[in-house]
């Protein structure tokens, strides 16, 4: 029952391809609502005509219902929904109200014109009925607008809460892994442990001073990843090496904070660390005037199952979820195998204008 009611209710801001179906749903809504609404808006003194000529009453009610439903949906509901979707007036409710009122006025004129064509004349009672319908259309449109905004705000709040939870999983994971690396070096190499503590302090300062939803220069993300690699170099020695992009290549590019380091950590932990001979982490950037691709490539002996790469709770999954929740399809993260025995994490993003 609820599913049927949702289908009958005309959608807001449909695409041009879906517009005919949306208008047809407005017609269906008018057909279904016609008979009960005909009794609501007709004076009780006229109800006897229903028993005298039920077919005529029903046909007249259908005509009224369809004309009013389609007229006010097209003239009032659609403009407001498209306006809200464009976000040009998201902070100006007064503009939305004005559009709803103007649309209702246009719907009133259209409805009266269609009634005149279908009936040949428009009575004062019919005019009052159309005006009441226009007022209800404005009230309903604004009520639904407020409800949709509340739902949108709730969705944003839920996304932020999930984003913070994912970030809370990433930071402790990195922090404790690094502390374990430092602890292993305290006795055999105290100088290296001291240097690693200094690098960890720099990284912690960056991590705590940036919001994961903020966009930062890619140069800063590379410096953060480099500090991490320097820490891991103390553990792996010459088994770990890396290649970074030239400074001029990344000039002017930006990325959400704390995005690159989890990819580099994944390349070290699940690539280089598992190979006796180690390997090289290659961070590369390819760019055009409007977009760029950042890749982190590591050698690997055995290709993992693709489903294991993005297991919930792991660094790659957390990072991809953060990007999806905050930026949608504007920034994407996937894993590819461009060469044999290599695995590449690839981020595709737009160049900020």
């Amino acid at each position: 029952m609820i599913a049927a009611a949702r289908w009958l209710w005309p959608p807001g801001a449909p695409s041009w391809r879906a517009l005919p179906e949306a208008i047809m749903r407005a017609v269906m809504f008018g057909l279904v609502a016609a008979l009960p609404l005909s009794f609501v808006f007709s004076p009780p003194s006229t109800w006897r005509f229903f028993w005298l000529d039920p077919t005529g009453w029903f046909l007249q009610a259908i005509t009224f219902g369809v004309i009013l439903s389609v007229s006010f949906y097209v003239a009032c509901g659609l403009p407001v929904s498209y306006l809200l979707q464009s976000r040009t007036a998201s902070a100006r409710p007064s503009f939305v109200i004005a559009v709803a009122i103007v649309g209702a006025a246009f719907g009133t004129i259209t409805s009266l014109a269609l009634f005149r064509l279908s009936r040949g004349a428009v009575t004062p009672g019919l005019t009052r009925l159309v005006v009441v319908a226009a007022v209800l259309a404005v009230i309903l449109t604004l009520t639904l607008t407020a409800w949709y905004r509340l739902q949108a705000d709730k969705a944003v709040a839920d996304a932020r809460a999930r984003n913070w939870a994912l970030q809370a999983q990433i930071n402790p994971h990195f922090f404790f892994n690094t502390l374990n690396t430092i602890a292993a070096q305290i006795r055999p190499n105290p100088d290296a442990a001291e240097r690693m503590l200094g690098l960890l302090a720099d990284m912690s300062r960056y991590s705590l001073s940036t919001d994961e939803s903020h966009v930062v220069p890619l140069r800063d993300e590379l410096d953060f990843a480099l500090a991490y690699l320097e820490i891991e170099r103390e553990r792996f020695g010459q088994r770990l090496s890396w290649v970074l992009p030239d400074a001029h290549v990344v000039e002017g590019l930006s990325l959400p904070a704390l995005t690159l380091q989890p990819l580099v950590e994944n390349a070290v932990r699940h690539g280089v660390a598992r190979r006796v001979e180690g390997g090289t982490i290659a961070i590369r950037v390819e760019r055009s005037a409007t977009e760029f691709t950042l890749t982190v490539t590591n050698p690997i002996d055995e290709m993992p199952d693709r489903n294991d790469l993005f297991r919930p709770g792991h660094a790659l999954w957390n990072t991809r979820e953060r990007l999806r929740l905050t930026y949608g399809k504007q920034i994407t993260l996937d894993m590819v195998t461009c060469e044999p025995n290599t695995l590449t994490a690839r981020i595709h993003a737009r160049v900020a204008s």
Side-chain angles (χ1 to χ4, degrees), residues 30-31 33-38 55-66:
L31 289 174
L35 189 58
L37 291 180
S38 67
T55 302
W57 178 287
F58 187 63
L59 291 176
Q60 189 177 57
I62 287 178
T63 302
F64 287 176
V66 171

Side-chain angles (χ1 to χ4, degrees), residues 34 44 60 67 88 213 254:
Q60 189 177 57
I67 288 177
T88 55
S213 62
S254 56

Side-chain angles (χ1 to χ4, degrees), residues 11-12 16 18 43 64 80 91 154 170 176-177 182 185 193 202 265 276 282:
W16 289 111
F64 287 176
V80 171
K154 182 178 181 298
I170 292 174
F176 289 119
N177 279 348
I182 294 174
Q185 295 290 331
D202 293 338
E265 181 178 356
V276 174

Side-chain angles (χ1 to χ4, degrees), residues 40-68:
V40 172
F41 291 105
S42 298
S45 59
T46 64
W47 291 358
R48 66 181 186 276
F49 292 110
F50 174 75
W51 303 107
L52 296 175
D53 185 12
T55 302
W57 178 287
F58 187 63
L59 291 176
Q60 189 177 57
I62 287 178
T63 302
F64 287 176
V66 171
I67 288 177
L68 292 176

Side-chain angles (χ1 to χ4, degrees), residues 67-68 70-76 100-115 130-131 133-134 137:
I67 288 177
L68 292 176
V70 174
S71 295
F72 288 113
Y73 175 63
V74 172
C76 186
I101 293 175
V102 171
F106 185 75
T108 300
I109 296 173
T110 303
S111 298
L112 291 174
L114 292 174
F115 284 140
V130 174
V131 172

